[in-house]
Amino acid sequence: MERISERQAMLIGAGIIFDATLISIPAQLLGVAHQDAWLTYLVAGVAVAASLWLLSRVGSRFVEVDLYEALVTRFKWVGRMVVLMYTFFVFFLVCRDLRMVSDFVNIHLLQKTPLVVISILVVLVVVFIARGGVELLARMTELYLPLLFFVVLILPLLLGKEFELRYYKPIFEHGVGDVLEGGWLAVSYVSEIALLPFFLSHKVFRLRTGLYGMGIGVFFLTLLIALNIVTLGPHIASRFMYPNIELIRQIRITDFLDRFDIAIVSIWLPSIITKIGYLLYICCHGIKRVTPGMSAKQITTAVGLVALTCSFWFFENSIQLIKVNYVWPVVATLFAFVLPLLMFFFLKPKPMR
Amino acid sequence: MKWKSLLLGGLLMVPVVLSGCWDRREINDVAFVLASGFDKEKDQYRVSVQVPLPSQLGGIGGSGGGGGTSGDKSWYVESMTGSTIREANEKQQRSLSRQLYFAHRRVLLIGDEAAREGVKEYLDILARVPQNRLGTFVLITKGETRDVMNAEESIEQTPAEMMRELAQNTMRKPRTAKHFIETLLSDGIDPYAPAIQVVKTQSGSGKEKTTIKVIGLAVFSKGKLQGILNPEESQGALIAMNQAVQPMINLPAPKGEGQLSILLGETNVNIKPALEGDKIKMRIVVRGKGSLIENTSAYDVTAGHNMEDTEKRLDESLKQSLQKSIDMLRMKLHADPIGFGDIVYRKFPNEWQTMKKDWQSHYEVMQVEIIPEIHIVHTGAITQPFGYKEGDLKQ
């Protein structure tokens, strides 16, 4: 069993929340909650904390193993079905994130390159990362994520002169309902941290680890969306596909420090690719649990290529990636709240005779 | 087994080669667009672009402008019409051997006639294609944009660079397209932009050439150009927006002929709204530090209580200037670039919901109280007026 430390698990948690969310949902949050959008991640964080608590309680009953193994050993057929459901869920996440990255690169960076070529390149890297196992994932996270967080932390300094602080007022102009709606949308992304107990044993991933990881991820997401509000303003920011990229394009400190956006994107891209790597690893891990005698490493390439095809099949155009954000919270609620709740009540070790 | 690793190696090399081909852009196949101009001819859009000619640009360190010894310009302007802006660009591309590249466009010009019809349609392409940047400055031109872009004399290498620097110098925090669009999309505040025009230099007979001049501040309302305030009229508005770059106020000397010129090095304006029933009251406090920069009269500012007296007259003059600008904006032009509506919105959001439907009527009857508090810090390197004898000084 590969070992990773608690700190690495915490960073993986933060990375899973942060990397993909910053190009997927901020525009919709700004469209729904306007200038109060910075509160939405906090609402989602509170809800997901409950889910993490449920999962850590279940995990504490099976200390040595991760939840996939617990499910499969305790309930032979129902357990396998639940694992299969989660695997399909994660597979869909892989397709979605893959398509998101490819779309982003196609729109902003390489306009003439065919989408397939970009996707193939990303899948190749993702497959290599996922084949390396949890240790490799953890080490890559430790390398790129702190650097990314450092960049996000200095953004307020770099963007200071573009701030219009009045943009965040008036608070709760349309009441709390908009913030709650935004929180509902954000739950679909923040709840991805609930996948971690399924492939990390309770020894490594405790409630404390999960909460710290989620706290870090939500903090940086909130910082970014707050910067969006005071720099771009809610009207412009909600119309962009990727408002965070437009945010970093505003960095201009005299003619010398201009056009920093490519540099920052080059720090972010390895993180998102690593994140897709986690998801692919969880997916293959789940398949391995369901079918005996399968080596997770060997099927990674195959699953990666199927995900590539499905990412084109499931989403016709970039707008469908936006539309899925409005229905996804229901699915995420099922996998992050309903199933963990059922597991909390029913998944207990066999009573010792 | 060796062939397996060779095959793998070969397959791995393929994406490396594939990834660069489509978006490869050779630097000598690119025509950098420095400035774009939008005009409207009936229902067609006229787009003009200014492109530098690299071979004529000369060596490093040369800020020697056009009209050099050989008489060749280092740039040229191309202009085409089309039913959308993109279509006009495609037509321009057909007469250019290099790809138009908009990422370095620093200035966006909109002709005043086109702006009067509405600016909303020009802004979509600014954001949709990532190559365009929202950091461009938006300027309004009096007359057609290509006339301004074709100005002969320019202290910078290209007129586009000159326009960019002029735009930056008109305001303390130069307003880019991002701010222009944000104010366009918000209620309660209207966009504004510097207005420029091509003029002839007054160098003397026979030597006049055309150059670019800032003629004032263009103000908009409901997405359409309402008018251009000249520099005197716009000074009050710019001070109220905290955008004036070291404004200068001329006061007539209280005794004798001549004028006192006072430069306000720092100004800070604070606008506080108050609601009295249905009426809005705006309290504008102008704090600033000034210095006497020129005295063409015999009046001795340093004698007796003359400094305090001058400060009082300066306050009064500033108050009148601001009042005049605000009244002109609300009564004549029906525009709100200072953002009084926005200020009401941020402080009283509930009342704003009812007011915004008919903001113009509230705006016109709004009570404006201007409280200037300017302090003259020094009179420069000399104290008494330099050209006058002791006995002629008026105290």
Side-chain angles (χ1 to χ4, degrees):
Chain A
M1 177 75 181
E2 301 136 342
R3 288 190 178 283
I4 59 170
S5 70
E6 250 191 73
R7 192 191 62 203
Q8 286 173 327
M10 196 173 71
L11 278 176
I12 291 181
I16 260 191
I17 290 181
F18 182 69
D19 296 326
T21 315
L22 61 92
I23 55 163
S24 54
I25 205 148
Q28 281 97 75
L29 291 176
L30 286 160
V32 161
H34 310 287
Q35 65 266 25
D36 299 322
W38 58 281
L39 292 163
T40 52
Y41 288 121
L42 302 171
V43 169
V46 166
V48 173
S51 163
L52 281 174
W53 181 81
L54 282 171
L55 287 166
S56 82
R57 295 294 294 160
V58 176
S60 63
R61 300 170 194 161
F62 304 91
V63 183
E64 293 290 326
V65 294
D66 57 55
L67 281 180
Y68 270 165
E69 202 172 320
L71 277 165
V72 166
T73 48
R74 178 69 183 85
F75 295 107
K76 206 152 173 244
W77 292 109
V78 177
R80 280 199 157 81
M81 229 177 57
V82 174
V83 172
L84 205 60
M85 278 171 72
Y86 269 101
T87 305
F88 275 122
F89 173 63
V90 177
F91 179 73
F92 194 89
L93 287 178
V94 173
C95 298
R96 186 199 64 191
D97 285 346
L98 193 58
R99 185 58 192 266
M100 221 156 44
V101 169
S102 312
D103 261 344
F104 168 76
V105 172
N106 193 31
I107 292 175
H108 267 273
L109 303 173
L110 302 170
Q111 286 91 13
K112 295 187 192 146
T113 311
L115 206 55
V116 182
V117 173
I118 302 171
S119 290
I120 290 177
L121 282 171
V122 174
V123 162
L124 266 173
V125 182
V126 166
V127 161
F128 271 116
I129 295 176
R131 280 169 71 100
V134 163
E135 282 163 341
L136 177 63
L137 284 168
R139 282 189 208 128
M140 281 201 70
T141 315
E142 266 193 316
L143 196 59
Y144 286 110
L145 207 60
L147 190 55
L148 187 61
F149 286 154
F150 172 69
V151 168
V152 175
L153 273 176
I154 59 168
L155 273 182
L157 286 170
L158 295 173
L159 289 166
K161 71 180 183 82
E162 300 281 338
F163 282 177
E164 294 269 350
L165 284 172
R166 62 197 168 94
Y167 283 163
Y168 78 91
K169 291 190 265 196
I171 308 182
F172 289 135
E173 181 194 348
H174 301 286
V176 191
D178 282 345
V179 176
L180 290 176
E181 195 184 334
W184 168 246
L185 290 177
V187 152
S188 48
Y189 285 86
V190 180
S191 64
E192 284 179 28
I193 196 174
L195 293 169
L196 256 57
F198 290 94
F199 75 102
L200 293 173
S201 70
H202 189 70
K203 269 204 304 202
V204 170
F205 191 82
R206 295 212 281 272
L207 180 65
R208 185 178 68 198
T209 325
L211 286 178
Y212 281 156
M214 190 183 70
I216 296 174
V218 166
F219 167 72
F220 282 103
L221 282 171
T222 307
L223 179 62
L224 268 181
I225 206 168
L227 285 173
N228 267 309
I229 294 172
V230 296
T231 313
L232 297 174
H235 300 278
I236 296 186
S238 60
R239 291 182 198 208
F240 276 102
M241 279 288 293
Y242 311 108
N244 287 318
I245 303 307
E246 194 54 42
L247 179 74
I248 57 176
R249 273 152 69 106
Q250 303 301 315
I251 297 175
R252 194 174 168 262
I253 304 176
T254 74
D255 277 338
F256 175 61
L257 285 172
D258 193 7
R259 293 173 196 269
F260 249 28
D261 47 305
I262 297 289
I264 296 179
V265 168
S266 70
I267 295 173
W268 167 76
L269 268 176
S271 302
I272 177 83
I273 292 178
T274 315
K275 190 234 175 179
I276 306 178
Y278 305 139
L279 293 175
L280 189 61
Y281 175 79
I282 302 174
C283 193
C284 298
H285 208 59
I287 296 178
K288 183 185 104 169
R289 293 274 174 231
V290 172
T291 47
M294 177 101 65
S295 158
K297 214 166 156 176
Q298 283 174 342
I299 55 168
T300 313
T301 319
V303 176
L305 288 173
V306 174
L308 170 69
T309 322
C310 287
S311 73
F312 285 100
W313 185 27
F314 293 166
F315 303 102
E316 275 183 14
N317 49 47
S318 62
I319 300 300
Q320 291 203 335
L321 280 169
I322 296 178
K323 290 192 178 168
V324 81
N325 285 335
Y326 290 102
V327 292
W328 202 243
V330 180
V331 181
T333 311
L334 173 69
F335 285 98
F337 295 99
V338 175
L339 284 175
L341 197 63
L342 289 173
M343 281 196 274
F344 177 70
F345 286 124
F346 297 115
L347 188 64
K348 289 171 184 146
K350 273 210 177 85
M352 304 288 274
R353 295 212 191 256
Chain B
M1 287 305 278
K2 202 168 172 204
W3 67 267
K4 251 192 186 172
S5 30
L6 278 175
L7 180 67
L8 188 65
L11 281 173
L12 281 175
M13 285 306 294
V14 173
V16 172
V17 178
L18 277 177
S19 59
C21 276
W22 291 270
D23 278 280
R24 187 193 70 227
R25 214 183 269 130
E26 302 287 335
I27 195 123
N28 56 359
D29 280 339
V30 169
F32 293 97
V33 174
L34 297 173
S36 282
F38 297 143
D39 292 293
K40 205 130 183 239
E41 282 175 12
K42 296 202 184 72
D43 59 340
Q44 293 265 305
Y45 294 101
R46 174 171 284 283
V47 178
S48 318
V49 294
Q50 184 168 75
V51 176
L53 299 166
S55 51
Q56 309 272 24
L57 275 172
I60 310 164
S63 71
T69 47
S70 62
D72 274 338
K73 292 187 303 199
S74 57
W75 48 269
Y76 81 103
V77 173
E78 175 59 275
S79 179
M80 288 286 184
T81 56
S83 52
T84 64
I85 294 170
R86 183 72 196 192
E87 196 184 301
N89 281 332
E90 304 270 319
K91 284 189 190 170
Q92 281 161 343
Q93 189 62 71
R94 285 187 220 141
S95 62
L96 266 173
S97 60
R98 298 186 178 202
Q99 290 284 322
L100 284 169
Y101 189 61
F102 292 94
H104 289 267
R105 173 183 55 196
R106 286 288 180 79
V107 171
L108 192 69
L109 304 171
I110 307 181
D112 63 330
E113 282 190 25
R116 275 182 211 278
E117 285 180 38
V119 293
K120 295 174 193 162
E121 51 256 43
Y122 303 110
L123 303 169
D124 184 84
I125 198 162
L126 260 188
R128 199 173 289 273
V129 179
Q131 208 185 72
N132 300 316
R133 294 206 158 228
L134 284 183
T136 40
F137 293 117
V138 178
L139 295 166
I140 306 298
T141 61
K142 202 165 167 73
E144 273 205 356
T145 56
R146 51 182 172 167
D147 294 331
V148 179
M149 290 204 274
N150 271 315
E152 292 158 339
E153 289 288 356
S154 130
I155 199 166
E156 309 285 346
Q157 275 205 324
T158 52
E161 186 65 21
M162 183 171 170
M163 286 188 265
R164 181 176 84 92
E165 295 288 337
L166 280 174
Q168 268 190 313
N169 294 339
T170 50
M171 297 188 214
R172 222 197 266 171
K173 270 169 90 171
R175 299 279 91 167
T176 56
K178 173 198 87 164
H179 188 262
F180 193 86
I181 298 173
E182 174 66 30
T183 49
L184 197 66
L185 295 175
S186 311
D187 302 320
I189 187 166
D190 289 319
Y192 55 92
I196 55 175
Q197 190 183 17
V198 65
V199 293
K200 280 193 157 29
T201 56
Q202 295 180 357
S203 340
S205 61
K207 293 202 181 69
E208 284 104 4
K209 296 256 179 161
T210 53
T211 185
I212 304 168
K213 184 174 150 183
V214 174
I215 53 165
L217 190 72
V219 292
F220 291 76
S221 177
K222 297 186 179 60
K224 299 192 171 124
L225 176 69
Q226 297 297 325
I228 299 178
L229 296 171
N230 66 35
E232 289 79 34
E233 292 160 347
S234 60
Q235 191 188 61
L238 283 171
I239 292 175
M241 292 190 256
N242 265 323
Q243 286 280 34
V245 179
Q246 305 211 322
M248 197 184 70
I249 313 228
N250 277 339
L251 296 173
K255 293 176 185 161
E257 295 173 351
Q259 299 218 333
L260 299 169
S261 294
I262 298 165
L263 186 77
L264 298 177
E266 288 173 35
T267 46
N268 191 4
V269 171
N270 209 333
I271 306 182
K272 271 202 170 60
L275 213 52
E276 282 166 13
D278 202 24
K279 288 192 78 166
I280 310 166
K281 191 170 158 193
M282 286 288 172
R283 194 157 179 270
I284 306 177
V285 177
V286 185
R287 286 198 182 86
K289 291 196 173 74
S291 58
L292 182 66
I293 201 150
E294 191 177 355
N295 185 354
T296 57
S297 72
Y299 181 63
D300 183 3
V301 185
T302 59
H305 291 285
N306 288 351
M307 283 284 267
E308 287 87 356
D309 191 49
T310 312
E311 275 181 13
K312 279 204 196 84
R313 283 184 299 110
L314 180 62
D315 283 347
E316 188 57 41
S317 169
L318 195 61
K319 191 168 166 183
Q320 280 175 8
S321 168
L322 273 165
Q323 187 72 48
K324 197 169 136 204
S325 290
I326 294 172
D327 285 338
M328 181 163 197
L329 282 170
R330 59 180 174 165
M331 306 294 188
K332 194 164 154 226
L333 295 173
H334 304 299
D336 188 11
I338 303 173
F340 288 115
D342 186 74
I343 293 171
V344 173
Y345 166 56
R346 306 281 172 194
K347 190 94 192 281
F348 306 110
N350 295 325
E351 287 82 356
W352 173 249
Q353 294 304 324
T354 38
M355 273 191 204
K356 72 174 176 186
K357 292 170 203 140
D358 194 21
W359 172 240
Q360 185 52 39
S361 62
H362 286 107
Y363 185 31
E364 277 178 15
V365 301
M366 182 178 75
Q367 225 183 326
V368 174
E369 188 193 345
I370 303 169
I371 304 168
E373 290 170 14
I374 309 292
H375 181 55
I376 301 182
V377 179
H378 63 84
T379 61
I382 55 172
T383 52
Q384 290 156 336
F386 221 43
Y388 295 85
K389 284 197 194 145
E390 189 75 35
D392 293 337
L393 288 177
K394 302 239 175 9
Q395 295 178 336

